[in-house]
Amino acid sequence: MTEVLIPRAVRATGDTSPPAHRQGASRSAPTTLRIAEIFGPTIQGEGALIGEPTVFVRAGGCDYRCSWCDSLHAVDSRYRDTWAPMATDEIWQEVTRLSGGQPLTVSLSGGNPAIQNFAPLIALGKEAGYRFACETQGSISQPWFAALDTLVLSPKPPSSGHRVDWQKFDHCLLAARGCDQIVLKIVIFDDCDYDWAKAVAHRYPDLPLYLQPGNPEVDPETPVDLTAATERLHWLIEKVTADRWFVPRVLPQLHVLVWGNKRGV
Amino acid sequence: MTEVLIPRAVRATGDTSPPAHRQGASRSAPTTLRIAEIFGPTIQGEGALIGEPTVFVRAGGCDYRCSWCDSLHAVDSRYRDTWAPMATDEIWQEVTRLSGGQPLTVSLSGGNPAIQNFAPLIALGKEAGYRFACETQGSISQPWFAALDTLVLSPKPPSSGHRVDWQKFDHCLLAARGCDQIVLKIVIFDDCDYDWAKAVAHRYPDLPLYLQPGNPEVDPETPVDLTAATERLHWLIEKVTADRWFVPRVLPQLHVLVWGNKRGV
């Protein structure tokens, strides 16, 4: 455990002071994060960056428990044992190993990555030409949102069982000023979610909006029914076009269509 | 035949001079275009605007004959009888009817839409708040490229049987100066196409690049093999990531996954 608290770069030189570029974000002890998984490169399967080559850093821990969560292994504390405590430098080394040192987009997901401090990782990565995206529900704001290239705010609709605290959500938007691209992504399971998404779009008319049909089949061991998945997309497209609501883009979870619910792709 | 040459808006007032907003683009007789189909609203299934609610205006006629063309009904002259000669105002009326007068993106596709003069249609539509995208191979340039919101240049790879004339292609880029978004989209059938796409990316490092796997199943009457289609996407994702070529986005033809090769969706 002590081992992973000491960044490898520091260990190598024997110098225990944090590197200059990390001092601003991490003044005291090196940050240790709980990481559920790091995988890639693969393509982003959802939303504004769909198709973009990406390495995913999935944070462990979440302040939400959505009824249909498809990432419980990064959310529920019964999986806590599987979350690795990793120093920023260790995460960064894994990202560079997976990407062969070729800059690409790193997506911070979860769980809710906004629980933890990714500022030092973003600083390290950006220095090397990597881009950073983060997906969060907008319940916790972080100063490092402003350093991202893309912030995907994904407020959870009624079917999740949660109610959005819009004051906290607006704090996230404020914190993200300076971020190149801020977008909304809303998962739609039913008509009620759909109507709610329209109200959210009305509240934030300047934010690009992405809708995606919900995926009720979240067991990684059960093969995804591709026909059912495409029918859900079809349903949502029909709904938007029949309604002549031409504001949102409608996209599937592409990775589910390609790989089912398999993890690490 | 004479009927469709006279724009309805003009006919209604008895005034035979073109409306003021169209005079610049169409000084003499009203433009008549050959239109293979107008359909939507549906979502854009490919490339930079994937997921975007769109009405498609598919032009009839093409200067290419790609070996794997999936739109022969808009390309081959044996289908010429099915292409409606339509005045700009007639096309515009159909677009507004389909979209219920709610502004959205109009995609000019084909065939090669750059054979014909879409300037008057773009002028009419933009006045009403519609956005315009055009997809063309880049073999013919048009002044109206500059009035588009999105120009998708889709140079055809070796498997098409065509060789790109890069001088003509560069003319298209010059003509499009002023267009908000210019992107490249390349269809990949095999390793040779893939290597060619890398060379094209090298030639145009500033243009966002979208790759999509080729679709050899183009018969609208034959159901698409979803597994085969997702496998082709999988192959291309593997190729890009194994190669650590993180420049292009990799996307499927989403409409083929959702609707097969059915037309008009």
Side-chain angles (χ1 to χ4, degrees), chain B residues 45-66:
Chain B
E46 304 179 358
L49 298 179
I50 192 167
E52 175 90 5
T54 300
V55 164
F56 289 85
V57 176
R58 191 186 292 281
C62 195
D63 49 323
Y64 271 31
R65 291 291 179 280
C66 295

Side-chain angles (χ1 to χ4, degrees), chain B residues 213-227:
Chain B
N215 174 18
E217 305 167 25
V218 294
D219 177 6
E221 305 305 322
T222 308
V224 161
D225 181 340
L226 278 182
T227 307

Side-chain angles (χ1 to χ4, degrees), chain B residues 175-230:
Chain B
R177 278 188 304 195
C179 171
D180 281 350
Q181 186 183 34
I182 307 174
V183 301
L184 294 175
K185 193 187 75 181
I186 302 179
V187 175
I188 309 291
F189 275 82
D190 53 33
D191 290 350
C192 180
D193 287 353
Y194 178 82
D195 294 339
W196 185 87
K198 287 185 93 165
V200 174
H202 190 72
R203 185 180 170 101
Y204 300 104
D206 297 331
L207 294 182
L209 172 62
Y210 292 78
L211 300 185
Q212 82 187 24
N215 174 18
E217 305 167 25
V218 294
D219 177 6
E221 305 305 322
T222 308
V224 161
D225 181 340
L226 278 182
T227 307
T230 55

